[in-house]
Amino acid sequence: MGKRLKMEIRGAVQGVGFRPFVYRLATGLGLSGWVLNDIRGVFLEVEGDPEQLSAFRERVRAETPPRARIQGLDESWLDPIGYEGFQIRTSEAKGTKTVLILPDIATCQDCLTEILDPENRRYRYPFANCTNCGPRFTIVLDLPYDRPNTTMRGFALCPDCRAEYENPLDRRFHAQPTACSVCGPRLEAWTRTGETLARGDEALTLAAQALRRGDVLACKGLGGFHLMCDARNEAAVGRLRSRKAREDKPFALMVRDLAAARSLAEISPAAATLLESAEAPIVLLPRLGEETVARAVAPGRPELGLMLPATPLHHLLLRAVGAPLVATSGNLSEEPICTDELEALSRLAGMADVFLVHDRPIERHADDSIVRIAAGAPRVLRRARGYAPMPVPVAEELPVILAVGAHIKTAVALGLGGRVFLSQHVGDLETPEAMNAFRRVIADFLRLYEARPALVAHDLHPDYPSTLWAEEWAVEHGIPSFAVQHHHAHLVSCLAENETLGPALGVTWDGTGYGTDGTVWGGEFLRGDAGGFTRFAHLKPFRLPGGEAAVREPRRAALAVLFEVFGDDAFAREELAPVRAFSTNERTLLAQMLENGLNAPVTTSAGRLFDAVAALIGLSQRTRYEGQAAMALEAAADPREDAAWPLPLVPREGAAALLDWEPLLRALLEDLKRGVNAGRLAARFHNSLVDGIARTAEAAGEMRVALTGGCFQNRLLLERAAERLSALGFTVLLHREVPPNDGGISLGQVLVGARHLKHLHGIV
Ligand code: ZN
Ligand code: ZN
Ligand code: FE
């Protein structure tokens, strides 16, 4: 007597070959029934011999396709109804959309082999893909994930592609973006005024020639345009820098394979895995020498950002050029990446000599993700292509909440049920283009998941454009908005990623965040959870002359801390590099600002303390990108040095304790006078901070300590602090797939917002 088994499978189960897998499994076991995708996941019914059915049950779980992730599986047993054969049914589109949209997946080995095989019909075809690889997030128009709901809907399958698409035994069975040179997207090479120079394979050859010649290429990729040039050509890299108005910030490189990566950087086994992963991010790696690529690629940096090709187009281009390529976002500095070829012509015309474009529309942008390996694991610093929009599972059931992030490195988040969907990196909300991208990403998220937020959470800073947007949007939609303190959001983001409710001590260190007292926070020790926090301790405050202007001038931060300790005498200390870096007139002006506190906001910023020390050691007086001085300080630190300067914790009655850097500053000046070298000084500073963190954690007495905020992108600080805290018996919580910087803020905002909403409704 047969039985019928019904299954409902949720998670990352669409666009990964799940239905063909079920088909092959069921038919192989002689079972009949059907399988279908709908907007909630994969549904199936199989019937037949009970033994074969139980084999089916086990193998569905054990042999899932490589890219699938099952997050929930319900099953029930029913009476058989006599199905004949096994069918893959067409998708249904009713109910709540809870299926996961997959990130874009880097070209698989099978597809790569095919495009390099002259006998294969996809030889040199730049848009080959299959159920195990290819575009997903960047081409989805709607759910369920089916070809008519992607930007491939305009390309009718040719007979050969259709046969593969319909054959359950083929690797391309129901591969929605599948294509070939007969029926799929095509390349064109354009001049900077949009005239066609070449089509198809010739366009690729022409682009490769241009790159070899030293031209800058604007190349339409998976989630937007790259600007590319030969990384070995000093003049080409220099041209790209000046055209992009990007003076010092390192450029990422794309290399053809792991062997090419090994010729440029030290590749650990973990790094090799990450480079070759389906996410294919930019990985920050210790470079082998200064001479392997043009000096202008990453001036003065001990690391190179390397990535492998993520699409057949990039594989073919890299092979045709035969050199590592600079591959930087197609935009002006810090603006959103360009996705459309006509828009690219106007926005990138001044930057590129040749355009390599294609006719597969990019529905939404996705920059390259950036990952650094620290404390034994990959840590995502910029979360975009390959990672977005995979949700972060959380330890509680959430109402629908939208969170809009802070100001720089913005990413938005949507809390839904037991998950928080984190958007791709949007960028710094400082231009109208960035604000447009911000609004577009929000509208896109709400539409895709058909979400109607019950609350919108934003940063506590009253003037951030994201705050203003959220407040207005809340009024328009008749829902509450809720301000979340910046460092509280950092703490809760770290708790959430670790599926911990807390409480914990959050060492939340960054450059800037609006405090509850209206001052600029940034060197905080917050004790709490999503429900609230107390400020247990913070770095000793100081006045920062020029406020935001000081962010690009570490010498100002140095003068600020010197003034705090020595008063006016600070300006006479000609032996100090940051003092010498100001003219007499400038010093008079600074003195006035500091004395009467005009345009000199009070801050406890750890980022600015890094700046001050970098300036005092003589590493950096002015910077050109965020975090540059801190990176220089980290890079300079001699890892063998274990001495530290005093950084005492001073308890105060009725107020947060102070981590007092004054003795640290005095010891630093003594060491400078003695001529201790910069490497040892930089290391001593890091070691002192680790001592200070450990001391404060012991005083707070919370067993869990979260290290979060932009300062923890610093590997030396992260590793030494984590190691020390673990040795002292603390449970240390670190970020992994959610950035420790402001790219992770919106996750924390969602959870704090959820708690607030429960209070409003009297649930907690
Ligand atoms: Zn493939
Ligand atoms: Zn075809
Ligand atoms: Fe921050």
Side-chain angles (χ1 to χ4, degrees):
M1 185 60 199
K3 279 208 271 184
R4 175 163 56 118
L5 173 64
K6 182 183 169 106
M7 279 185 167
E8 181 180 338
I9 304 165
R10 293 173 306 277
V13 289
Q14 292 189 3
V16 291
F18 208 91
R19 286 176 301 169
F21 155 69
V22 168
Y23 178 94
R24 284 192 293 269
L25 191 58
T27 50
L29 291 166
L31 301 170
S32 57
W34 52 263
V35 60
L36 71 78
N37 266 352
D38 87 350
I39 51 186
R40 285 163 297 168
V42 167
F43 289 80
L44 64 93
E45 288 190 18
V46 282
E47 62 178 42
D49 178 69
E51 234 165 76
Q52 304 291 36
L53 280 175
S54 65
F56 179 88
R57 271 189 71 211
E58 273 169 33
R59 291 178 60 187
V60 157
R61 292 169 169 86
E63 299 171 16
T64 46
R67 299 303 308 155
R69 277 195 237 174
I70 296 180
Q71 293 193 329
L73 195 156
D74 293 326
E75 53 185 20
S76 47
W77 292 97
L78 305 160
D79 290 331
I81 47 177
Y83 288 124
E84 278 183 27
F86 195 90
Q87 292 173 343
I88 294 185
R89 294 194 174 164
T90 32
S91 301
E92 287 178 3
K94 53 175 197 281
T96 321
K97 296 184 177 178
T98 54
V99 76
L100 299 184
I101 299 172
L102 282 185
D104 302 299
I105 306 167
T107 308
C108 74
Q109 194 54 52
D110 289 337
C111 287
L112 181 59
T113 305
E114 287 176 358
I115 61 161
L116 299 177
D117 171 12
E119 302 302 311
N120 192 281
R121 73 185 193 87
R122 285 193 179 78
Y123 179 56
R124 294 187 63 78
Y125 182 58
F127 305 98
N129 61 77
C130 72
T131 46
N132 298 321
C133 75
R136 301 286 187 272
F137 184 51
T138 54
I139 62 165
V140 171
L141 299 168
D142 210 343
L143 292 173
Y145 176 67
D146 266 336
R147 192 174 178 98
N149 285 338
T150 71
T151 63
M152 286 299 292
R153 63 182 170 182
F155 299 92
L157 291 167
C158 70
D160 285 344
C161 284
R162 175 155 298 282
E164 293 166 345
Y165 184 88
E166 288 174 352
N167 175 5
L169 301 175
D170 195 279
R171 197 172 91 248
R172 295 197 168 84
F173 178 66
H174 283 240
Q176 307 305 342
T178 190
C180 73
S181 57
V182 175
C183 65
R186 273 171 226 211
L187 287 177
E188 284 193 5
W190 291 358
T191 65
R192 59 165 86 187
T193 49
E195 288 135 48
T196 305
L197 291 166
R199 293 190 169 84
D201 205 42
E202 269 173 48
L204 190 85
T205 308
L206 188 140
Q209 281 165 353
L211 286 166
R212 278 202 301 269
R213 227 184 11 242
D215 281 355
V216 174
L217 178 75
C219 177
K220 183 179 177 186
L222 200 51
F225 274 79
H226 279 125
L227 288 166
M228 297 179 137
C229 71
D230 182 346
R232 292 179 182 159
N233 184 329
E234 198 73 64
V237 182
R239 256 194 308 278
L240 178 53
R241 277 212 180 275
S242 65
R243 291 179 189 174
K244 205 174 138 90
R246 178 153 147 162
E247 293 169 294
D248 276 349
K249 197 173 177 182
F251 281 138
L253 301 181
M254 193 183 285
V255 294
R256 65 174 263 174
D257 52 22
L258 213 48
R262 288 191 205 283
S263 72
L264 301 178
E266 209 174 287
I267 314 284
S268 65
T273 305
L274 193 55
L275 284 166
E276 291 193 309
S277 68
E279 290 82 7
I282 295 168
V283 186
L284 301 180
L285 296 159
R287 68 197 291 178
L288 287 182
E290 290 278 327
E291 308 307 317
T292 52
V293 290
R295 199 205 58 86
V297 167
R301 297 290 310 147
E303 290 182 313
L304 285 178
L306 299 184
M307 68 179 137
L308 300 190
T311 79
L313 169 60
H314 296 103
H315 278 291
L316 295 168
L317 191 62
L318 264 292
R319 277 158 203 266
V321 177
L325 296 179
V326 166
T328 183
S329 310
N331 56 11
L332 254 180
S333 275
E334 312 304 328
E335 280 187 3
I337 191 168
C338 227
T339 52
D340 175 85
E341 47 272 23
L342 296 177
E343 181 200 352
L345 273 186
S346 68
R347 279 178 61 202
L348 307 180
M351 295 182 233
D353 301 297
V354 179
F355 287 72
L356 184 61
V357 301
H358 58 76
D359 53 356
R360 185 178 71 206
I362 297 174
E363 172 62 12
R364 60 186 62 75
H365 84 274
D367 290 90
D368 298 315
S369 295
I370 303 177
V371 182
R372 193 180 203 189
I373 295 172
R379 313 278 168 194
V380 174
L381 304 184
R382 181 162 85 190
R383 194 176 180 282
R385 179 178 54 73
Y387 295 92
M390 284 302 280
V392 180
V394 291
E396 58 189 300
E397 195 66 18
L398 299 169
V400 183
I401 291 185
L402 173 68
V404 297
H407 187 61
I408 57 163
K409 297 183 161 70
T410 306
V412 304
L414 186 65
L416 267 182
R419 305 190 283 219
V420 179
F421 293 88
L422 207 52
S423 83
Q424 71 273 44
H425 167 83
V426 178
D428 301 353
L429 301 182
E430 295 197 318
T431 59
E433 287 80 7
M435 279 312 287
N436 285 339
F438 169 78
R439 284 187 288 262
R440 209 162 46 231
V441 165
I442 292 172
D444 183 48
F445 251 46
L446 296 178
R447 188 186 59 81
L448 272 179
Y449 295 102
E450 291 181 349
R452 286 158 172 262
L455 179 112
V456 52
H458 57 81
D459 196 89
L460 182 62
H461 198 302
D463 303 325
Y464 278 167
S466 60
T467 300
L468 301 175
W469 182 91
E471 286 172 343
E472 214 177 287
W473 196 82
V475 170
E476 237 170 75
H477 290 77
I479 59 167
S481 63
F482 186 65
V484 182
Q485 199 281 323
H486 191 92
H487 302 93
H488 186 210
H490 273 307
L491 163 62
V492 177
S493 171
C494 192
L495 292 178
E497 195 186 0
N498 288 282
E499 293 189 64
T500 300
L501 292 174
L505 180 71
V507 185
T508 56
W509 282 14
D510 62 6
T512 177
Y514 194 85
T516 52
D517 57 3
T519 68
V520 180
W521 291 9
E524 311 309 305
F525 295 86
L526 305 184
R527 185 210 295 267
D529 58 21
F533 71 93
T534 52
R535 196 181 187 199
F536 176 72
H538 54 79
L539 286 174
K540 177 182 169 149
F542 55 95
R543 285 198 178 274
L544 190 62
E548 281 301 302
V551 172
R552 295 280 185 270
E553 291 187 41
R555 58 182 186 161
R556 284 187 193 241
L559 257 302
V561 296
L562 288 170
F563 180 83
E564 193 65 34
V565 175
F566 303 106
D568 276 342
D569 291 347
F571 297 98
R573 300 195 64 153
E574 289 278 349
E575 80 276 16
L576 299 173
V579 177
R580 283 198 308 272
F582 286 108
S583 68
T584 320
N585 283 344
E586 286 171 329
R587 283 181 223 172
T588 312
L589 201 68
L590 284 178
Q592 283 170 359
M593 285 163 112
L594 286 165
E595 275 156 20
N596 48 39
L598 277 179
N599 191 22
V602 171
T603 185
T604 54
S605 169
R608 297 295 83 77
L609 190 60
F610 266 91
D611 286 352
V613 172
L616 285 165
I617 294 180
L619 293 173
S620 172
Q621 305 306 331
R622 297 160 185 263
T623 61
R624 295 196 166 122
Y625 57 92
E626 198 226 345
Q628 190 179 0
M631 282 186 219
L633 203 55
E634 178 192 355
D638 180 347
R640 291 161 305 183
E641 173 68 26
D642 50 19
W645 300 315
L647 182 59
L649 183 70
V650 184
R652 293 186 301 170
E653 200 61 48
L658 284 187
L659 202 52
D660 184 4
W661 43 261
E662 184 179 327
L664 178 152
L665 180 68
R666 290 181 185 277
L668 157 62
L669 296 176
E670 280 302 308
D671 277 356
L672 261 179
K673 208 191 294 174
R674 249 184 260 131
V676 179
N677 71 39
R680 298 180 69 184
L681 295 176
R684 284 179 189 185
F685 176 63
H686 283 83
N687 296 342
S688 317
L689 296 179
V690 171
D691 286 350
I693 289 169
R695 195 167 289 136
T696 310
E698 290 195 295
E702 278 305 336
M703 278 323 294
R704 279 179 292 243
V705 180
L707 302 180
T708 179
C711 290
F712 289 100
Q713 297 174 101
N714 180 319
R715 182 169 57 207
L716 190 62
L717 181 68
L718 180 80
E719 290 181 344
R720 293 209 169 161
E723 201 177 304
R724 177 79 64 83
L725 291 167
S726 302
L728 290 170
F730 293 102
T731 300
V732 184
L733 306 176
L734 304 177
H735 286 283
R736 294 178 306 275
E737 290 204 356
V738 175
N741 58 46
D742 287 2
I745 281 269
S746 56
L747 170 61
Q749 290 173 337
V750 164
L751 283 118
V752 177
R755 196 62 68 88
H756 173 71
L757 202 59
K758 285 179 186 167
H759 274 292
L760 276 186
H761 297 161
I763 298 168
V764 173

